[in-house]
Structure formats: structure tokens, C-alpha cells
Amino acid sequence: MKAFLLIIGLLTLNISTSMAQSTADFTPHLIKTRNTTQLLVDNKPYLILGGELGNSSASDTAYMKPIWPKLKKMNLNTIYAPVYWELMEPQEGKFNYSLIDDLILNARSNRIKLVLLWFGSWKNSMSCYVPEWVKTDQSRFPRAEAKSEVKQEILSPFSKNNMMADKRAFVKLMEHLKNFDGVQHTVIMIQVENEIGMLPDARSYEKPASAAFEQPVPGKLLSYLKDNKSKLLPETKDIWAKNNFKTNGNWGDVFGKSLVTDELFMAWYYAIYVNEIASAGKQVYNLPMYINAALNRPGKKPGEYPSAGPLPQVADVWKAGAPAIDILAPDFYNPDFKHWSDLYTRSSNPLLIPEIRFEQGVDAKVFFAFGNYNCISFSPFSIESTEKPENEPIGKAYHIVGQLLPLITKYQPLDKVRGFLFDKDNQEQKITLGDYILTITHEYKLGWSAQAKDSVWPQTGAIVIEVAPSEYYVAGTGVVVAFEPVSTEKRAGFISVDEGYFENNTWINQRRMNGDQDHQGRHIRVAVNDYSIQHVRLYTY
Ligand code: DGJ
């Protein structure tokens, strides 16, 4: 009977079986619930309120000691921390896990989860973290070459030796994690490599690379393109269409000779290399795995930016070549947050942000990312660099989203969560949610604040959740929200507006806001630099 009810439950939730593991398996995993991909940790939906450590911090346990309290003060529930191949396998076949174990034990005692970053063959294009015995034996572990035939400090993805050496170490890591952490699940996800990307050309030119370029396009890629023709991203479709959707010939024949083709070609060979590593690791310990990309700057040609990483223009190739990778993730060092988030959420790719510049406005983006994109993770880079963690806006935003996590993850799949981001150029948005039209604006638009006259306004953001007809939670910073009914000439009024907080998932009312705070029933308001959750109940008159 229990099993029957479980099956009915799964069917009702429309969980995609390709991503779901057995519900009895508490290993962190991804599930698809309706149109939303969720990360399950201890079998409960989880949002990563994260931060990524600077590259070197996790290479020394003592250096990390004063960092843990800082992370707690910013209300992080997860950190992204590197595992360095060169320190884990200093001599070929001799593995040392002490740094990783210390990291896990300290994370546990601070009640923080970990996403581990495998700094293996590639880190920001380069191969700076490969062990000395790899670096110094270039005949066995060959390098990528530029068009000029100059060798790069980049392992060639066309070398089986390179891939096998990386794969063996990665499998060892996953075996160790399974043994050391397979019950407690402090490590919840793995990033495979870091910001893969070819430089200084769009593809590499060592002999095996050039030979592969003249070979027929692999059947596996062509089959993927044919089978998914109607769902291909416009970038892939366009370049293939220009060549009349040819299905045989070498790379130049099928896609035409161009830098775009060079990037596609290189992406394929990176993808199949990474797929070997990730799938071998998953066979040992099946944690979710993703890869991250350095976003190309607008107007730059392939080769002028780290090319062929998991970028939007080659995302189809990555999907075809690396099915063991669950998510393609953007690293945000580029201001156009919405533009890139829109690109990365195509083809059901969930938004997972492993890195974003730790700067003014990240707090506002937290509300927008989780509310608008059903984002799985938010994580400023070099999170430990702050001297005043207790004052960091990101900590205040995490404090709010942490309380709302059960509500957000419950109502995301039901399409009842929305997120907003404002600045001086984007001051207002109107949406329909449930029975009401909501007009949400930057707080300075009211004109009450002296700073409203400033030429630049701070970014502000909000998340709104409809929990029942005429009942919402509004949370965020620097916003004003007004309501009007969708389907009647009547007007909307507040039965009540209460500011409060969640304790053990129970809402506690604090301040009744029905006077000046909601402008005598006209709108909800959270001032700039203020962070608040307000429970709103409406009626019409
Ligand atoms: C992105 C990389 O992934 C990080 O490891 C780090 O190098 C940052 N860039 C530095 O801004």
C-alpha cells in the first residue's frame, strides 16, 4: 500500500525519472517537478545560499580557520571550495585527502554544505593545477597548440593520456567522498573542471586536433542534431541551416569554415573529455555535476575570449557530448545579469550561479534570481574577502531567503513565485499573480527619499509568493508593491499587512503595518537598505 501511494505521489508531482533517484536514497540529487528542476538535499528541496572561496583559501586548513565564522555571519548555507589535483595526487598514484577531510569536518561543525570544484585538467582555460608529474612530462601529457604552433599551458583535450590521468584522480576523489561522506552528505554537488576555454585561438592546432578537424563530424553529434532539430537553440540551428542541414562531411563541410565552427568543434572535444571524467565519477558516487563558463564579452570573436566552454552559443554541443553533466552554469563578472540568465535558462537548463562578482547589488539579485529564474544557487566569488561580514547586504538577503526557502521551493513548481530587480533605468514592473495585478517599483520612484534625486540608484529587488487566494508574502529590499484585482472594477484593500519572520517554518507576526508603513492601505513598502518579509492579506471593495 505504501509503495502504491509513493508511486501515485511521484506521478502526481510529474517527477522526471531520468533525474530522480529512489526516494529512499538520500544522496543529493536533482529532480524535475513540473517545469522546475530542484536540488534535493536530505530528500528536501534545497537552495544554495552560497559563496565561493578565493582560489587559494582552501589549500590550507589553518588559513580557513578565521573564515568559517565569517561565512556563518553572512548566513551562508553552502560554500564552493576547490579540490586541487596537484595537492591531492602530488606523486602519480599516491593520493592525499587530508585537506578535503578537514574541509568536510569543518563544514560539518559549522553546519555548512559544500560544493567541491575539481581543479583538474583546466582552471580558467589553463592547466595550472595539474600535478608536477603531469606538467613536466609533456611527451606523455601533451599540450594544446595555438595556430602559431606555440604550445600553451593548456592540456590537450585530444590526448587520451591526459583524460585518463584526470579521470583516475577524479574517480579516486569520488570514491573517497562516498566513503567519507556518503552518509552525512556534506558535499552536495561537484563542479567538473573550472571555466574551460581555449585561448588564444577558437580551437587548438596540435597534430591530433588538426587531424580531428578534417575527420567526419562524429555520428553521435549528428544524431543529436537530427533527433533534436526542432528544439535546437537558434545559434546552433542558424549555423547548421546556413549549410543546408548537411548530415555528412567534416566540420567545415557540415558547418562551414568559420571561427564559429572552430568553437563548435573544440566544444565537442572538451565535452566528450569531460563526459568521460564525470560519468566515471558518477558511477562511483552519483552526485549532481555541473560545469561553469567564463562569459564572453560582447563584440569579441571566438579566440578573443576563452572559447568553447559551456557558453550559450555551444550549449547544444555540450548537451550532446556531455550528458553526464547536469547543468551548464554561468560565472557572472559581466553586468547584464538578465541577458545571460535568460540565455542560460533555455532548453530547461536550470540557473545555477557558482560565481558572481561580490559587489554592490548582489543582495538585490538574490531575490530576482530565486524568484524569477527558479535559480538553484547564488554565490558571490571570494566571499571571505569581506572585513565586516555582519554588515554585508548579501548576508541580510540570505537571512530572508533562508527563512522563505520552504515556501519558495514549495510554490516554485506551482508557478506562484516571482522575482524583481530594479535600478534607475528599470523602475517598475507589472505582473499578474493569482487574482491580482501587482505593480512593483523601485522604492525611490515614490520620490520620498532624498536619494531619489541621485543620478544612480542602488539596485533593489524582491520576491513575491502567492500562498493562497488573496494571500502573499512579499520580501526584499528597496521596493514598493501595489495590488489591484484582475477581474473586477472594484479596488484592492489590505485586510492586514504584517512584518515578521519564520521560526522553524512557522510564521511569526511582529509589526502590524497598516498605517504609515503601508501608506494607509495603498502599498507595501520596504525601504532601500532595509530587508523585510511582509505577510499580506487582501480583499476588494
Ligand atoms: C573566475 C574563476 O572561475 C575563479 O576561479 C577566479 O579565477 C575568478 N574568475 C577571479 O575573478
Side-chain angles (χ1 to χ4, degrees):
M1 185 61 183
K2 260 191 185 161
F4 172 73
L5 287 177
L6 183 65
I7 289 166
I8 295 295
L10 288 177
L11 288 175
T12 326
L13 279 170
N14 185 18
I15 291 175
S16 132
T17 44
S18 67
M19 295 179 110
Q21 297 177 331
S22 146
T23 41
D25 180 1
F26 275 33
T27 305
H29 58 281
L30 297 163
I31 59 160
K32 195 147 192 226
T33 309
R34 298 212 167 100
N35 291 324
T36 310
T37 300
Q38 295 192 309
L39 170 65
L40 262 59
V41 172
D42 300 327
N43 247 15
K44 287 204 283 283
Y46 188 80
L47 301 175
I48 296 179
L49 308 178
E52 181 163 324
L53 296 174
N55 293 162
S56 303
S57 299
S59 66
D60 181 46
T61 301
Y63 188 88
M64 280 297 295
K65 206 165 172 227
I67 291 177
W68 294 104
K70 281 188 175 182
L71 306 174
K72 293 299 288 177
K73 284 184 187 149
M74 287 183 280
N75 302 305
L76 271 73
N77 63 13
T78 307
I79 55 165
Y80 288 73
V83 170
Y84 318 88
W85 183 8
E86 61 179 341
L87 299 185
M88 196 186 91
E89 192 184 2
Q91 286 169 280
E92 188 168 2
K94 299 234 160 63
F95 295 90
N96 181 342
Y97 306 107
S98 57
L99 260 183
I100 302 163
D101 295 351
D102 285 349
L103 189 70
I104 294 175
L105 293 174
N106 282 316
R108 276 184 200 156
S109 59
N110 284 285
R111 300 169 68 85
I112 286 178
K113 298 281 186 190
L114 291 170
V115 176
L116 294 183
L117 317 173
W118 174 238
F119 283 8
S121 293
W122 299 294
K123 152 75 174 76
N124 298 31
S125 302
M126 310 300 281
S127 297
C128 41
Y129 281 107
V130 306
E132 183 178 337
W133 52 269
V134 174
K135 275 186 184 155
T136 53
D137 190 351
Q138 289 153 39
S139 53
R140 196 171 149 213
F141 302 110
R143 301 296 177 86
E145 285 175 33
K147 203 172 193 168
S148 60
E149 296 184 7
V150 173
K151 285 191 181 16
Q152 305 299 307
E153 201 181 41
I154 299 178
L155 289 188
S156 167
F158 296 89
S159 155
K160 194 156 187 196
N161 279 355
N162 291 348
M163 190 276 292
M164 293 297 283
D166 186 327
K167 175 162 112 174
R168 183 172 69 157
F170 187 71
V171 166
K172 282 280 180 193
L173 170 67
M174 296 311 290
E175 271 171 12
H176 183 73
L177 292 179
K178 187 178 171 119
N179 293 335
F180 194 79
D181 191 47
V183 175
Q184 298 213 36
H185 307 127
T186 303
V187 179
I188 57 173
M189 190 153 35
I190 303 288
Q191 178 186 295
V192 189
E193 314 294 343
N194 189 82
E195 290 196 352
I196 289 170
M198 185 45 62
L199 283 170
D201 301 307
R203 69 175 175 92
S204 64
Y205 288 83
E206 62 278 17
K207 278 202 181 90
S210 297
F213 193 71
E214 297 309 326
Q215 290 296 307
V217 174
K220 203 172 146 200
L221 175 57
L222 287 170
S223 305
Y224 182 94
L225 295 178
K226 282 186 265 177
D227 296 348
N228 295 283
K229 197 167 169 186
S230 61
K231 292 185 275 174
L232 291 177
L233 294 170
E235 297 90 327
T236 327
K237 204 160 194 169
D238 285 356
I239 181 169
W240 196 26
K242 276 190 198 138
N243 289 280
N244 303 316
F245 298 108
K246 266 190 98 170
T247 53
N248 53 51
N250 66 23
W251 291 82
D253 299 330
V254 174
F255 300 109
K257 287 213 157 92
S258 73
L259 288 177
V260 178
T261 300
D262 289 358
E263 187 175 32
L264 279 180
F265 160 81
M266 202 67 205
W268 174 257
Y269 283 95
Y270 273 136
I272 58 174
Y273 184 111
V274 165
N275 193 58
E276 281 270 349
I277 295 168
S279 56
K282 278 189 163 183
Q283 273 164 34
V284 174
Y285 185 29
N286 193 6
L287 286 180
M289 295 193 187
Y290 75 93
I291 47 169
N292 63 333
L295 302 180
N296 45 289
R297 270 170 293 140
K300 297 285 175 192
K301 295 198 196 82
E304 292 173 352
Y305 57 84
S307 304
L311 288 160
Q313 64 271 24
V314 289
D316 278 326
V317 174
W318 272 95
K319 287 216 155 158
I325 294 296
D326 300 300
I327 300 174
L328 309 181
D331 288 348
F332 282 94
Y333 293 88
N334 185 305
D336 202 343
F337 187 78
K338 185 172 180 314
H339 169 77
W340 289 101
S341 299
D342 288 345
L343 290 178
Y344 270 90
T345 44
R346 300 177 302 174
S347 309
S348 306
N349 186 58
L351 185 62
L352 179 146
I353 302 171
E355 295 180 45
I356 184 164
R357 197 188 295 279
F358 194 7
E359 63 186 358
Q360 201 271 329
V362 278
D363 53 332
K365 293 193 187 86
V366 167
F367 298 110
F368 182 52
F370 288 114
N372 192 58
Y373 292 106
N374 293 348
C375 172
I376 288 178
S377 155
F378 197 89
S379 165
F381 180 74
S382 196
I383 190 74
E384 73 280 38
S385 57
T386 176
E387 291 307 323
K388 293 235 161 54
E390 56 285 350
N391 295 346
E392 282 299 339
I394 189 81
K396 295 175 186 167
Y398 281 173
H399 180 58
I400 298 244
V401 175
Q403 294 173 62
L404 290 172
L405 195 155
L407 279 193
I408 296 173
T409 53
K410 177 175 172 190
Y411 289 103
Q412 264 175 351
L414 304 173
D415 195 29
K416 289 184 179 297
V417 182
R418 297 287 183 276
F420 307 90
L421 184 65
F422 301 110
D423 55 26
K424 195 157 190 178
D425 298 329
N426 304 288
Q427 300 184 7
E428 180 175 303
Q429 216 182 317
K430 237 182 215 296
I431 56 137
T432 300
L433 183 59
D435 298 333
Y436 294 85
I437 298 163
L438 281 66
T439 305
I440 301 116
T441 52
H442 193 294
E443 192 235 352
Y444 285 178
K445 192 158 191 266
L446 285 181
W448 297 347
S449 162
Q451 285 84 5
K453 294 195 177 63
D454 292 354
S455 56
V456 178
W457 289 2
Q459 281 198 325
T460 64
I463 195 160
V464 178
I465 309 168
E466 185 203 7
V467 292
S470 303
E471 187 177 346
Y472 299 82
Y473 285 91
V474 174
T477 178
V479 293
V480 171
V481 187
F483 295 80
E484 54 186 298
V486 173
S487 59
T488 121
E489 292 298 300
K490 291 181 174 177
R491 303 177 77 184
F494 296 133
I495 295 175
S496 59
V497 177
D498 292 293
E499 185 180 58
Y501 61 95
F502 283 93
E503 196 173 69
N504 302 325
N505 297 337
T506 304
W507 175 250
I508 313 282
N509 281 335
Q510 284 181 301
R511 292 195 296 162
R512 177 55 58 106
M513 311 285 270
N514 277 3
D516 286 346
Q517 278 60 41
D518 71 1
H519 197 15
Q520 338 324 306
R522 293 183 183 87
H523 54 233
I524 309 299
R525 174 170 165 257
V526 185
V528 169
N529 296 329
D530 205 359
Y531 298 79
S532 164
I533 311 179
Q534 300 187 22
H535 179 213
V536 183
R537 291 169 53 239
L538 294 147
Y539 73 108
T540 54
Y541 60 93

